Amino acid sequence: MSEKPSKEEGSKKEEKESVPCPPEAIVFDPERGEYICSTTGEVLEEKLVNQGPEWRAFTPEEKEKRARIGGPLSPTVHDRGLTTLIDWRDRDASGKKLEPKKRLEFLRYRKWQIRSRIQSSIDRNLAQAMNELNRISNQLHLNRAVREEAAIIYRKAVEKGLVRGRSIESVVAASVYVACRLKKLPRTLDEIAQHTRANRKEIARCYRLLVKELQIKVPIVDPIDYIPRMGSLLDLSGKTMNIAAKIVKVAKQKALTAGKDPTGLAAAAIYIATLLENERRTQKEIANIAGVTEVTVRNRYKELVSELNLDIPEEE
DNA sequence: AAGACGAAAGTGGTTGA
DNA sequence: TCAACAACTTTCGTCTT
């Protein structure tokens, strides 16, 4: 029955997969960790980890010089990835037994290492927190830049003693939230709360605390920042996303955005864009992705259409 | 049968005294 | 600390495709 797929269908599929973005148009945005089509603005692939070397090397000698010894420094490991281990075996590098005097010396070193690494309560806290951070980041598919930002924020919080009396989890979650917003890859509080034992309220409280105590200036969320992510989750074309972004921009100029939930606004703009581009998605689909209800999408949609004098084409 | 629309009552968070 | 308030949600009935 389904033995003969029509030719149209076959070519349509190809169109959808290869035509919208020629390979030479793909650019990598290292700050966001996303591959983006430079003609349509479509996000092709996010959640990438930067695998390149830390330094650029132009000549072979330089490359040699700049080769890394040990792992890369990373704030997402509690001791920043700097580990020097003193072996428990009483032998030197060539495997010979150490003289008794040396042995005692190394015994002392080991003791100090344990003291300095583990016994410090800050380090113990960080070790646990970085575990948690890595877990959350993986589940949210956050790129490395965001992770490291979150790690830095958390570290500062610990050093200021802000974690005392609060759960590590909630402070980590709040750090992640802040980092996402700073890096313009916003995730909603709900999204983050979903992967944590702490509830949204707790995280929100910690978030406010972090902002206040660490004097972080968090830019207000721009609905536009949500569009690429929501758009790719809805499998929209880059063109449609661009239109949605334009709608948001105009709406901002007309001061329609104040006090409105940015996710709802982004959702409505996307909904309108799908109508204009005949790439229809239901209100429900969009509302689900955006984490708001259909009603909110509808309300924003109605406002935008009337205030911006948009013509929604009738169904043909 | 599913989607779109709108009214009405309920909820959680912010603000200002 | 409390009440007022705006925005958003829930729920439900009706109309359209």
Side-chain angles (χ1 to χ4, degrees):
Chain A
M1 311 254 166
S2 55
E3 190 54 58
K4 52 164 203 172
S6 70
K7 270 178 199 164
E8 295 158 58
E9 236 181 311
S11 58
K12 233 185 229 166
K13 227 178 212 167
E14 263 184 40
E15 232 178 302
K16 211 164 182 210
E17 272 161 25
S18 62
V19 167
C21 195
E24 65 271 18
I26 298 175
V27 292
F28 180 62
D29 182 343
E31 203 177 316
R32 296 187 171 219
E34 294 171 341
Y35 279 105
I36 294 170
C37 174
S38 63
T39 57
T40 62
E42 188 178 2
V43 177
L44 300 168
E45 184 80 50
E46 47 180 345
K47 58 197 168 183
L48 288 164
V49 172
N50 179 2
Q51 292 169 338
E54 202 111 287
W55 305 97
R56 273 192 289 175
F58 300 99
T59 66
E61 301 93 88
E62 216 168 1
K63 204 171 171 186
E64 194 71 36
K65 260 192 266 173
R66 290 187 171 173
R68 284 204 278 236
I69 302 209
L73 277 181
S74 170
T76 60
V77 177
H78 78 283
D79 55 9
R80 295 193 163 100
L82 268 180
T83 49
T84 300
L85 279 176
I86 298 172
D87 203 353
W88 55 269
R89 282 165 301 196
D90 295 316
R91 290 172 190 266
D92 65 16
S94 57
K96 277 191 292 196
K97 276 220 171 190
L98 295 172
E99 318 148 23
K101 206 172 158 196
K102 280 263 175 204
R103 249 191 74 203
L104 278 177
E105 202 179 316
F106 274 89
L107 216 65
R108 244 182 11 252
Y109 287 155
R110 268 208 294 276
K111 211 157 146 194
W112 275 106
Q113 183 174 40
I114 287 165
R115 276 199 197 147
S116 63
R117 278 189 62 212
I118 311 219
Q119 219 133 310
S120 143
S121 73
I122 285 185
D123 273 0
R124 248 182 313 173
N125 184 319
L126 281 175
Q128 209 181 322
M130 291 307 123
N131 258 342
E132 182 66 14
L133 172 62
N134 280 326
R135 216 205 72 231
I136 295 177
S137 311
N138 278 331
Q139 288 184 346
L140 290 171
H141 305 302
L142 299 177
N143 67 36
R144 176 149 155 207
V146 176
R147 288 170 192 224
E148 301 198 343
E149 185 70 40
I152 290 166
I153 292 166
Y154 186 85
R155 197 177 282 274
K156 282 187 198 158
V158 173
E159 280 160 13
K160 272 217 162 193
L162 299 178
V163 187
R164 188 161 300 217
R166 272 168 268 272
S167 78
I168 290 177
E169 274 192 327
S170 54
V171 181
V172 168
S175 308
V176 169
Y177 181 63
V178 173
C180 285
R181 285 184 58 171
L182 288 178
K183 294 288 174 191
K184 299 270 177 196
L185 284 167
R187 297 292 188 273
T188 60
L189 268 177
D190 288 286
E191 276 177 284
I192 294 173
Q194 251 177 349
H195 300 286
T196 309
R197 226 172 307 128
N199 57 27
R200 190 183 55 250
K201 219 171 153 186
E202 279 251 345
I203 299 173
R205 261 217 308 274
C206 293
Y207 161 69
R208 278 191 289 267
L209 187 84
L210 288 183
V211 170
K212 197 163 128 212
E213 295 294 323
L214 302 181
Q215 326 212 351
I216 306 169
K217 11 164 192 37
V218 187
I220 46 155
V221 233
D222 188 333
I224 291 174
D225 293 333
Y226 284 111
I227 288 176
R229 215 172 92 75
M230 291 183 186
S232 66
L233 285 173
L234 287 163
D235 222 9
L236 295 178
S237 69
K239 197 177 167 204
T240 307
M241 290 193 223
N242 278 338
I243 290 173
K246 234 176 261 167
I247 292 169
V248 171
K249 244 180 243 166
V250 178
K252 262 205 306 196
Q253 282 163 13
K254 290 218 169 191
L256 295 175
T257 59
K260 301 288 164 55
D261 181 357
T263 55
L265 215 48
I270 287 174
Y271 180 63
I272 295 172
T274 62
L275 294 182
L276 292 174
E277 279 299 297
N278 235 332
E279 213 179 328
R280 297 198 79 133
R281 299 292 122 97
T282 64
Q283 293 179 354
K284 202 181 202 163
E285 279 178 282
I286 297 174
N288 272 340
I289 297 280
V292 296
T293 59
E294 301 165 64
V295 183
T296 303
V297 176
R298 264 202 303 272
N299 289 339
R300 288 295 88 74
Y301 155 69
K302 262 173 32 197
E303 279 173 23
L304 289 177
V305 169
S306 66
E307 296 292 323
L308 304 182
N309 300 316
L310 293 166
D311 297 319
I312 303 302
E314 294 296 319
E315 209 47 37
E316 284 121 65

